[in-house]
Amino acid sequence: MLADNLAQVQKNIEEACLAVGRDPSEVTLVAVSKTKPVEMLKEAYDAGARVFGENKVQEIMDKYDQLPGDVAWHMIGHLQRNKVKYIVDKAAMIHSVDSLRLAETIEQEAAKKNVRVPILAEVNVAEEESKFGLKVDEVLPFLEEVSKLPHLEVRGLMTIAPFVDNPEDNREIFHKLKELSVDIAEKNINNITMSVLSMGMTGDYQVAVQEGATMVRVGTGIFGERDYSRQD
Ligand SMILES: *Cc1c(COP(=O)(O)O)cnc(C)c1O
């Protein structure tokens, strides 16, 4: 069943690509496995998933050694500075960098472990009060500072769009993030590339792909509904 879900999501991504003349190989599916038991991650792994998204440092640490070494763990949730040290050498990418203080902490911890960490700048495109992320006009000045940090590799931008019933309602948000990434790419800032656009979740990833997403973060569509009552 999980394998069927995964195949269906991949097929939907392909269809969304073909609809706008994109090559499906440009889009990476991040299987968002937060709250899900390791057995389910193994099932997804056996069905071909290699990129997993988690939003808690503790969960990455718990699951990390229980899956094969070729899994790429993506940190997609809000990251507290005091926890950076635990994942700086475990996360293949941190999607949720939204302050210079956080970027500087990642720099310090990455330097200690002698690793370079691929990161995305999280942008609150919709300017929702409840959400983390930089405002659109804060992103360029932020990246100009981050570009000076030698252990960080900025790969692109990420946004969490509002929860909507009709995915078309988020099209403009995705379009804005794409435009912002093009604008920033044109500045040719040292140490910064804009090859990754992480946007789209279960409810709206096809629209996000049509608007240029190169990473979609799909949880429920692969693993089913999350049961938060079981969380400690
Ligand atoms: C949980 C989560 C997702 C996946 O959400 P679904 O609606 O289950 O696909 C994607 N991105 C982030 C940042 C998340 O926290």
Side-chain angles (χ1 to χ4, degrees):
M1 208 191 85
L2 201 154
D4 295 337
N5 293 345
L6 192 65
Q8 184 64 51
V9 171
Q10 257 143 3
K11 189 160 165 268
N12 292 342
I13 292 170
E14 276 170 31
E15 281 174 9
C17 283
L18 296 178
V20 295
R22 295 186 63 199
D23 179 347
S25 71
E26 290 172 10
V27 182
T28 301
L29 172 58
V30 180
V32 177
S33 47
K34 63 190 188 193
T35 79
K36 298 296 177 183
V38 164
E39 296 73 58
M40 285 184 89
L41 278 72
K42 286 183 176 159
E43 210 180 318
Y45 180 91
D46 289 338
R50 291 295 180 275
V51 184
F52 290 87
E54 291 284 345
N55 71 340
K56 290 209 168 87
V57 167
Q58 186 62 51
E59 233 176 303
I60 293 183
M61 289 168 66
D62 291 345
K63 290 172 174 173
Y64 187 82
D65 285 328
Q66 300 191 61
L67 270 100
D70 63 343
V71 164
W73 297 95
H74 284 217
M75 175 60 189
I76 62 173
H78 182 64
L79 180 55
Q80 285 168 296
R81 285 162 53 234
N82 61 357
K83 296 200 174 148
V84 168
K85 57 177 174 284
Y86 301 116
I87 57 149
V88 79
D89 55 349
K90 292 192 168 67
M93 183 172 282
I94 300 174
H95 290 227
S96 43
V97 182
D98 64 351
S99 76
L100 198 53
R101 287 175 77 204
L102 175 58
E104 283 167 349
T105 303
I106 299 171
E107 166 63 28
Q108 281 163 17
E109 298 299 332
K112 281 185 205 164
K113 296 206 162 87
N114 197 23
V115 292
R116 286 170 62 88
V117 188
I119 67 153
L120 305 177
E122 179 173 351
V123 190
N124 184 359
V125 181
E127 303 209 353
E128 285 183 287
E129 291 279 341
S130 58
K131 295 248 168 83
F132 295 105
L134 299 152
K135 292 192 180 138
V136 168
D137 57 11
E138 292 171 342
V139 177
L140 185 59
F142 169 73
L143 291 179
E144 280 166 344
E145 290 304 314
V146 172
S147 74
K148 298 170 193 160
L149 305 176
H151 295 84
L152 295 194
E153 291 175 1
V154 178
R155 296 279 174 83
L157 306 177
M158 177 272 221
T159 197
I160 303 175
F163 188 79
V164 290
D165 288 326
N166 180 359
E168 286 297 331
D169 294 347
N170 280 336
R171 187 178 290 279
E172 194 187 329
I173 305 241
F174 299 141
H175 188 73
K176 271 193 190 158
L177 193 70
K178 170 72 184 182
E179 278 186 338
L180 181 62
S181 84
V182 170
D183 289 348
I184 292 169
E186 280 171 358
K187 309 268 184 221
N188 283 320
I189 306 167
N190 183 34
N191 197 22
I192 304 251
T193 67
M194 284 286 127
S195 51
V196 176
L197 213 47
S198 168
M199 57 189 194
M201 307 177 17
T202 295
D204 54 20
Y205 65 90
Q206 287 112 313
V207 173
V209 166
Q210 289 172 3
E211 294 300 328
T214 70
M215 270 182 198
V216 293
R217 309 177 307 266
V218 179
T220 312
I222 297 172
F223 295 99
E225 296 286 336
R226 285 177 291 275
D227 182 357
Y228 283 102
S229 65
R230 290 171 41 143
Q231 283 285 92
D232 50 15

